[in-house]
């Protein structure tokens, strides 16, 4: 039987491999390389806590008397072996690159990391005094008799020591209390409230800034923690615990239920252990006590929690270690000083972050919060971020007497704690907060302002492909539209009424909502492309998204390919569709772009025999998005915006510097310029377009006109 789908988990790993590959590019500035390597580490942490944990849980709960369940169990075990093999390979590749490229390049740029076996006498003396005064008082060594280890929190760094008593008397005492007195293990959690980078005093003869790592310093002077014992072995490690935990949707106190989930993450079963150091006996003891298999153990062979290297201090004139600055330009379509209502009434306005500043949306919301004619604000929030000006604007709006309703999704994984905090703040000032919907995540991105004007009530909507998160808006490439078109705002009203839980879900002719109508609309659009496609004029579908793994959508795309429809897919992450297979998908091309900005926008184009259709959406083509989340897909109705977004889409398939093409064997081939072909970097082309627009705007602003007058 012909294989129809790549494995989702293995496809995700290859996405992280592309991120790693980006971090190893020779031309990439040094500190940007480090950022990409750190991203691969945090990506792997989440992958193991969620996806691998889910597979392990399925294996643990498989019914031994059910033949089908046992078959699935064996398949899952095979997948785990493949995951482990490929992840070990990539983590070794990253460690090798750190040791052979990153640290030597840091040193050439005047920044040096010294390991504990490299400390000079003077450095050792300085670090010992630092340890005694700043570190030692904070540490709490926990001894175990190897029957059971103390609790190890998720993702926290821990130093482990294998001890041996120095005196005969102590050995006898240990023999009376410990099951195996020859293997005494002690754990010390690395304090998070201390700086991990310890900068050493500069040497007058050197122009190099030198740093040590806190965990190295603790290991170097750990004998101070265990008087009367000899340290035989030591290592530093962290664990990933299961984070694929579900909340009790029926709990009357939903915030309390979410807090229970957060607590459970710290004590759920361990999925993976990562360590540094060469301590075979100690590692074996820890592995056995944590009930881990060999494939669950990862020798990082470098630095744990790489994001610490993002805190490296730059000395003067080191800007060449970072990307050249790309400005986030102000929108040329929205006024900087005055309110935006007139501009939006005249024409739909596109905002493309991070090329354009997210400040335009912040101003839109702030204007509404103080405008005496604004009656109400309705908004969905998923990943909000910290120190959010959006929350401040919503609070101010409520304090100014506006009716503010916010749908905060508390189940946004790993952002739950922050979202709970924002909910509390909003409710204190009178904002009506709805904590999502039972058994569904609200992932749609929409904000609506209801304003009283001279000709009646008018509604202004903002619909986006990305989260209302200020920090992400500087790094994630997203598209959003401001509009006051009745056909959109009428549907937006129906949408908000539906998700409030007290309105029947009515048909919306212009907005398509998952899990109600979006998947059906997408299948209908693809079907129409199939029916309209002819040998003389083949259909054309272009779609851009983060992930593609919905089997129904993929099957329909295969059908389109067999009908001669040209299908171009830009998929940043997971793609389980197999392209380029004769008789199934030979007309499908899949590319992925990994560059300076994270490609996050979802854009869907259908040629429709000349009556072109273009949609933006909050949803990827995944089962979770189309079947288990509240999502929105909305049409691009303004012709100028339509043509511009279509042009952007074409550019993504022209990229030959930061793009990869998926092969039918599952490998991603890096693209490069062909003979006599110029380099085309899609993100740089976009940036230069906005820069040129800014230059034109400023030159017009600075122009002085000579005016003729009668003397």
């Amino acid at each position: 039987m012909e294989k129809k789908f790549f494995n989702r988990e293995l496809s995700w790993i290859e996405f992280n491999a592309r991120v790693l590959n980006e971090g190893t590019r020779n031309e990439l500035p040094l500190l940007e390389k480090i950022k990409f390597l750190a991203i691969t580490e945090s990506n792997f942490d989440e992958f193991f806590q969620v996806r691998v944990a889910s597979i392990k849980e399925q294996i643990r709960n498989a019914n031994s008397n059910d033949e089908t369940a046992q078959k699935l169990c064996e398949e899952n075990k095979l997948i785990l072996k493949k995951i482990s093999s490929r992840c070990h390979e990539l983590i070794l590749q990253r460690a090798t690159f750190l040791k052979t490229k990153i640290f030597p390049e840091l040193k050439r740029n005047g920044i040096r990391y010294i390991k504990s076996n490299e400390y000079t006498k003077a450095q050792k003396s300085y670090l010992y005094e630092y340890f005694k005064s700043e570190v030692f008082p904070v540490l709490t060594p926990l001894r175990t008799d190897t029957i059971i280890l103390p609790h190890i929190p998720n993702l926290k760094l821990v130093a482990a020591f294998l001890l041996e008593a120095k005196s005969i008397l102590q050995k006898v005492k240990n023999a009376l209390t410990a099951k195996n007195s020859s293997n005494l293990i002690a754990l010390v959690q690395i304090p998070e409230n201390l700086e991990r980078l310890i900068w050493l005093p500069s040497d007058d003869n050197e122009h190099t800034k030198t740093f040590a790592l806190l965990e190295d310093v603790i290991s170097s002077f750990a004998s101070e923690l265990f008087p009367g014992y000899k340290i035989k072995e030591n290592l530093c490690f962290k664990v990933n615990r299961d984070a694929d935990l579900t909340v009790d949707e029926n709990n009357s106190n939903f915030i309390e239920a979410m807090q229970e989930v957060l607590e459970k993450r710290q004590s759920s079963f361990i999925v993976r252990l990562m360590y540094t150091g060469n301590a075979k006996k100690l590692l074996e003891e820890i592995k056995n006590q944590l009930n881990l298999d060999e494939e669950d153990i990862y020798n990082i062979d470098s630095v744990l929690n790489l994001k610490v290297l993002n805190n490296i201090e730059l000395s003067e004139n080191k800007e060449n270690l970072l990307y050249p600055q790309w400005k986030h330009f102000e929108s040329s379509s929205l006024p900087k000083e005055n309110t935006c209502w007139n501009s939006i009434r005249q024409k739909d306005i596109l905002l493309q972050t991070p090329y354009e500043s997210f400040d335009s949306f912040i101003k839109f919301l702030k204007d509404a919060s103080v405008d005496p004619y604004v009656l109400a604000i309705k908004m969905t929030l998923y990943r909000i971020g910290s120190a959010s000006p959006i929350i401040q604007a919503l609070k101010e709006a409520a304090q100014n007497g506006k009716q503010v309703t916010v749908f905060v999704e508390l189940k946004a994984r790993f952002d739950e704690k922050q979202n709970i905090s924002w909910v509390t703040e909003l409710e204190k000032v009178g904002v009506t907060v709805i904590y999502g919907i039972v058994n569904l995540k609200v992932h749609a991105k929409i904000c609506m302002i209801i304003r009283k004007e001279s000709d009646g009530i008018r509604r202004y909507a903002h619909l986006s492909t990305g989260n209302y998160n200020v920090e992400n808006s500087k790094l994630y490439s997203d598209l959003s539209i401001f509009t006051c078109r009745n056909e959109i705002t009428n549907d937006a009203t129906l949408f908000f009424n539906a998700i409030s839980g007290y309105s029947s879900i009515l048909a919306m002719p212009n907005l398509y909502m998952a899990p109600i109508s979006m998947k059906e609309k997408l299948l209908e659009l693809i079907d129409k492309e199939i029916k309209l496609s002819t040998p003389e004029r083949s259909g054309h579908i272009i779609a851009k998204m983060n992930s593609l793994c919905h089997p129904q959508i993929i099957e329909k795309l295969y059908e389109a390919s067999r009908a001669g429809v040209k299908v171009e897919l830009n998929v940043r992450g997971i793609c389980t569709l197999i392209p380029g297979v004769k008789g199934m998908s030979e007309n499908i091309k899949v590319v992925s772009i990994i560059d300076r900005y994270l490609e996050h926008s979802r854009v869907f184009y259908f040629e429709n025999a000349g009556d072109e259709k273009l949609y933006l959406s909050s949803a990827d083509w995944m089962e979770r998005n189309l079947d288990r989340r509240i999502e929105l897909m909305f049409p691009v109705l303004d012709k100028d915006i339509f043509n511009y977004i279509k042009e952007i889409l074409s550019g993504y398939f022209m990229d030959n510097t930061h793009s990869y093409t998926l092969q039918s064997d599952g490998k991603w081939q890096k693209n490069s310029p062909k003979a006599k072909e110029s380099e085309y970097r899609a993100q740089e082309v976009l940036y230069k377009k906005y820069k040129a627009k800014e230059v034109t705007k400023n030159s017009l602003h600075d122009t002085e006109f000579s005016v003729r007058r009668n003397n």
Side-chain angles (χ1 to χ4, degrees):
M1 185 178 175
E2 190 175 62
K3 182 180 177 182
K4 285 191 172 184
F5 307 102
F6 292 127
N7 177 267
R8 170 184 165 148
E9 323 309 340
L10 299 180
S11 177
W12 181 93
I13 293 171
E14 294 313 312
F15 154 65
N16 214 26
R18 296 195 296 282
V19 177
L20 177 59
N21 188 70
E22 182 66 20
T24 61
R25 296 172 71 101
N26 288 330
E27 72 275 16
L28 196 68
L30 173 58
L31 296 186
E32 303 296 347
K33 289 176 183 173
I34 291 172
K35 287 178 185 177
F36 272 101
L37 300 187
I39 288 169
T40 67
E41 182 181 50
S42 61
N43 282 350
F44 270 135
D45 281 338
E46 183 170 339
F47 175 69
F48 275 88
Q49 290 175 97
V50 179
R51 300 304 306 174
V52 175
S54 175
I55 296 172
K56 284 179 172 281
E57 187 68 16
Q58 289 176 46
I59 293 172
R60 285 159 57 129
N61 296 331
N63 186 342
S64 58
N65 298 319
D66 186 324
E67 189 176 326
T68 303
Q70 282 306 302
K71 184 180 178 182
L72 179 61
C73 183
E74 292 306 312
E75 290 174 359
N76 280 333
K77 286 178 180 178
L78 180 60
I79 290 296
L80 283 181
K81 287 187 181 300
K82 290 181 178 180
I83 288 171
S84 177
S85 175
R86 184 62 172 136
C87 290
H88 274 94
E89 183 182 329
L90 292 173
I91 288 168
L92 176 60
Q93 181 183 332
R94 186 180 68 203
T96 302
F97 188 77
L98 275 162
K99 288 194 294 186
T100 61
K101 299 291 184 182
I102 295 296
F103 290 130
E105 195 174 340
L106 274 171
K107 190 175 180 180
R108 287 194 296 273
N109 283 278
I111 301 168
R112 183 183 173 216
Y113 162 48
I114 54 165
K115 298 180 181 179
S116 52
N117 61 353
E118 299 171 332
Y119 299 160
T120 65
K121 187 176 180 180
Q123 289 168 340
K124 197 165 187 177
S125 176
Y126 171 83
L127 289 171
Y128 177 72
E129 291 303 319
Y130 180 88
F131 173 80
K132 290 290 285 184
S133 62
E134 303 293 330
V135 182
F136 181 82
V138 184
L139 301 180
T140 304
L142 300 173
R143 175 182 162 178
T144 171
D145 61 3
T146 75
I147 295 173
I148 185 168
L149 288 177
H151 175 70
I152 300 165
N154 188 39
L155 295 177
K156 308 298 183 186
L157 290 187
V158 178
F161 302 91
L162 186 65
L163 307 176
E164 182 181 63
K166 290 181 180 178
S167 69
I168 297 295
L169 179 61
Q170 189 62 55
K171 288 180 180 179
V172 172
K173 283 183 178 180
N174 289 341
L176 295 173
T177 58
K179 196 170 185 179
N180 186 351
S181 60
S182 63
N183 293 330
L184 298 174
I185 297 175
L187 303 183
V188 178
Q189 188 170 322
I190 308 299
E192 290 188 311
N193 55 356
L194 296 181
E195 292 292 334
R196 273 187 71 203
L197 291 183
I198 302 171
W199 294 95
L200 291 143
S202 58
D203 189 320
D204 292 339
N205 299 321
E206 292 186 13
H207 298 288
T208 301
K209 295 181 69 175
T210 304
F211 70 88
L213 286 174
L214 177 61
E215 56 265 35
D216 292 346
V217 172
I218 290 172
S219 296
S220 295
F221 305 113
S223 57
E224 298 289 326
L225 297 166
F226 312 109
Y229 289 87
K230 175 185 175 183
I231 297 175
K232 295 169 67 178
E233 291 182 347
N234 71 277
L235 57 81
C236 187
F237 72 97
K238 74 173 183 179
V239 297
N240 291 144
R241 290 183 177 273
D242 174 25
D244 189 36
L245 303 170
T246 56
V247 64
D248 180 3
E249 299 273 2
N250 297 312
N251 192 318
S252 57
N253 189 332
F254 194 65
I255 289 183
E256 183 181 277
M258 282 306 310
Q259 288 170 333
E260 287 178 8
V261 168
L262 297 180
E263 291 170 8
K264 285 178 182 176
R265 277 190 193 153
Q266 293 303 320
S267 58
S268 57
F269 74 88
I270 292 175
V271 181
R272 178 175 72 138
L273 181 142
M274 300 129 281
Y275 76 97
T276 60
N278 184 19
K280 292 182 180 179
K281 196 169 185 179
L282 178 57
L283 180 64
E284 188 67 20
E285 290 282 355
I286 293 172
K287 183 189 83 171
N288 291 339
Q289 290 193 44
L290 297 179
N291 196 28
L292 295 172
D293 296 326
E294 198 62 41
E295 64 188 26
D296 303 322
I297 309 297
Y298 289 77
N299 183 356
I300 300 301
D301 197 28
S302 184
V303 178
L304 283 164
N305 289 3
L306 277 172
K307 64 182 179 182
V308 67
L309 299 182
N310 290 334
N311 298 326
I312 287 175
E313 296 176 359
L314 293 176
S315 50
E316 292 181 8
N317 303 317
K318 294 296 183 185
E319 288 78 11
N320 61 313
L321 302 186
L322 293 163
Y323 279 130
Q325 185 177 3
W326 281 8
K327 184 180 176 183
H328 307 300
F329 300 105
E330 293 176 5
S331 170
S332 59
S333 303
L334 290 165
K336 184 178 179 181
E337 303 298 334
N338 300 321
T339 57
C340 56
W341 318 124
N342 286 338
S343 300
I344 299 172
R345 279 200 298 270
Q346 292 171 24
K347 195 178 191 296
D348 290 354
I349 294 172
L350 176 72
L351 185 67
Q352 185 176 16
T353 56
Y355 307 100
E356 293 180 291
S357 173
F358 192 64
D359 288 348
S360 294
F361 175 76
I362 301 299
K363 184 178 183 300
F364 171 76
L365 200 57
K366 284 184 174 178
D367 285 351
S369 71
V370 297
D371 188 328
Y373 298 104
V374 167
L375 305 175
I377 300 173
K378 299 182 181 184
M379 188 175 186
T380 60
L381 292 175
Y382 189 70
R383 299 193 187 278
I384 313 165
S386 58
S388 175
I390 290 172
I391 298 296
Q392 301 312 314
L394 292 171
K395 286 166 63 177
E396 187 173 1
Q399 289 165 338
N400 286 334
K402 320 296 181 193
Q403 178 65 46
V404 182
T405 305
V406 181
F407 300 77
V408 180
E409 183 48 76
L410 295 183
K411 292 174 287 187
R413 187 179 278 123
F414 303 119
D415 277 357
E416 299 99 336
K417 188 175 181 180
Q418 181 69 79
N419 286 2
I420 289 171
S421 174
W422 289 137
V423 162
T424 305
E425 280 198 37
L426 290 169
E427 288 184 325
K428 280 181 181 177
V429 296
V431 173
T432 299
V433 180
I434 297 173
Y435 313 147
I437 294 175
V438 176
N439 297 320
L440 294 170
K441 281 187 179 180
V442 178
H443 194 249
K445 284 79 179 178
I446 182 170
C447 176
M448 189 164 69
I449 310 297
I450 297 91
R451 189 170 187 266
K452 186 176 182 179
E453 298 183 352
S454 58
D455 55 349
I457 298 292
R458 192 182 302 273
R459 293 160 295 186
Y460 296 83
H462 176 263
L463 301 101
S464 179
T465 66
N467 297 312
Y468 290 116
N469 185 306
V470 175
E471 292 308 312
N472 285 356
S473 73
K474 298 172 185 175
L475 301 171
Y476 289 24
S477 176
D478 273 302
L479 296 164
S480 62
I481 288 178
F482 296 92
T483 185
C484 63
R485 291 174 182 263
N486 283 332
E487 56 263 55
I488 298 296
T489 58
N490 286 343
D491 281 4
T493 300
L494 295 176
F495 169 78
F496 279 116
N497 288 345
I499 66 172
S500 69
Y502 294 99
S503 171
S504 298
I505 298 173
L506 302 176
M508 296 185 290
N510 293 287
L511 297 186
Y512 300 95
M513 173 182 168
I516 307 303
S517 60
M518 191 190 301
K519 181 175 69 176
E520 286 67 26
K521 180 62 178 179
L522 288 168
L523 293 171
E524 176 192 314
L525 288 163
I526 301 170
D527 250 333
K528 196 170 182 184
E529 209 65 30
I530 293 169
K531 290 171 185 173
L532 294 173
S533 183
T534 65
E536 296 75 28
R537 181 172 183 169
S538 60
H540 194 188
I541 297 170
I542 311 175
K544 180 180 180 297
M545 65 201 75
N546 292 274
S547 296
L548 168 60
C549 58
H550 198 296
Q552 277 181 273
I553 298 289
I554 292 173
E555 289 280 13
K556 187 59 69 174
L557 290 173
Y558 288 156
E559 188 181 335
S561 174
R562 288 192 291 268
V565 177
K566 181 182 179 183
V567 181
E568 295 181 288
L569 303 171
N570 185 290
V571 185
R572 177 176 61 89
I574 300 165
C575 181
T576 60
L577 176 148
I578 304 176
V581 178
K582 189 171 178 59
M584 182 175 79
S585 58
E586 65 263 46
N587 291 315
I588 302 178
K589 179 182 181 180
V590 183
V591 302
S592 176
I593 289 179
I594 307 291
D595 200 351
R596 174 174 183 153
Y597 296 141
L598 184 148
E599 288 295 338
H600 193 253
S601 56
R602 291 89 166 189
V603 189
F604 315 136
Y605 166 84
F606 302 89
E607 189 178 79
N608 198 35
D611 184 18
E612 301 171 300
K613 305 293 182 184
L614 184 67
Y615 300 86
L616 301 180
S617 180
S618 60
D620 292 311
W621 289 357
M622 303 177 75
E623 288 174 283
R624 73 181 187 192
N625 296 88
L626 300 182
D627 299 333
R628 300 190 297 274
R629 287 185 174 182
I630 301 294
E631 306 271 12
L632 279 177
M633 180 172 78
F634 51 98
V636 177
L637 301 176
D638 181 275
K639 198 62 183 173
D640 291 336
I641 295 175
F642 186 110
N643 291 333
Y644 177 68
I645 294 177
K646 187 180 172 185
E647 182 184 325
I648 292 172
L649 275 179
S650 298
Y652 284 124
F653 293 92
M654 294 166 60
D655 191 300
N656 55 22
T657 62
H658 288 70
S659 69
Y660 301 77
T661 300
L662 180 59
Q663 308 300 300
S664 57
D665 61 0
K667 294 179 180 177
W668 290 84
Q669 180 178 302
K670 193 175 188 308
N671 296 321
S672 56
K674 296 174 184 175
K676 298 183 180 180
E677 186 178 56
S678 300
E679 288 190 351
Y680 190 97
R681 182 183 176 192
Q683 291 191 358
E684 186 174 40
V685 169
L686 282 170
Y687 173 74
K688 286 181 176 178
K689 281 183 180 179
Y690 282 101
K691 186 177 181 181
K693 190 186 291 187
E694 177 83 355
V695 170
T696 302
K697 184 178 74 172
N698 289 340
S699 63
L700 288 172
H701 184 267
D702 295 338
T703 300
E704 290 187 7
F705 296 96
S706 297
V707 180
R708 291 191 181 93
R709 298 184 194 172
N710 289 327
N711 291 329

